[in-house]
Amino acid sequence: MNALALFDELDAIERDRQQAHSAGLPALQRLAYVAQGDSGQARIVGLFLLGLYNGTDYPFDLTQLRGLDLALFQDCQAVLHLDYHPEREVHEYLVQGDALFSRLRATLLGAGGDQ
């Protein structure tokens, strides 16, 4: 790859990162709010967020996304895109994100946090 092509690729990556941030941060706020509810969709969103937080400890079955309405599904896509360009851990984008994710673990997975 020549230098010009490399600079073009780096520029495209930076534009994509900016777009992911622009769309992903508000989507994450919406999902964090929904995840604190008690509906079936809230559970799916909470498990999705925990999967992004730590996919090894909290694996998430992507077919569960089929249970979301379109707006929530699109928010999940935007947050996944945000996480593709990780500047922070997903919970660190949120005010009191550590506490929120601790509550999600306790609520969705029980006291021990295991699925």
Side-chain angles (χ1 to χ4, degrees):
M1 176 180 289
N2 67 37
L4 183 58
L6 178 61
F7 285 122
D8 286 345
E9 184 174 338
L10 291 173
D11 187 53
I13 290 169
E14 178 57 21
R15 283 192 314 273
D16 187 68
R17 186 198 64 75
Q18 290 175 3
Q19 188 280 328
H21 240 77
S22 177
L25 293 176
L28 178 59
Q29 294 288 334
R30 291 188 295 270
L31 291 178
Y33 176 78
V34 168
Q36 296 175 72
D38 61 1
S39 68
Q41 290 194 113
R43 178 173 176 73
I44 293 167
V45 168
L47 292 171
F48 169 78
L49 291 174
L50 287 173
L52 284 178
Y53 173 74
N54 185 333
T56 301
D57 289 346
Y58 312 111
F60 179 74
D61 178 359
L62 293 173
T63 62
Q64 292 184 64
L65 294 174
R66 297 174 187 160
L68 298 178
D69 64 30
L70 181 59
L72 289 175
F73 175 74
Q74 289 171 331
D75 279 348
C76 288
Q77 288 180 307
V79 171
L80 187 60
H81 191 189
L82 171 68
D83 200 51
Y84 177 77
H85 300 280
E87 294 178 12
R88 302 178 186 185
E89 296 290 330
V90 67
H91 67 287
E92 293 175 345
Y93 288 111
L94 299 167
V95 174
Q96 298 180 357
D98 285 324
L100 170 63
F101 276 68
S102 290
R103 284 193 308 274
L104 289 177
R105 283 192 305 274
T107 302
L108 298 172
L109 306 174
D114 298 325
Q115 282 187 327

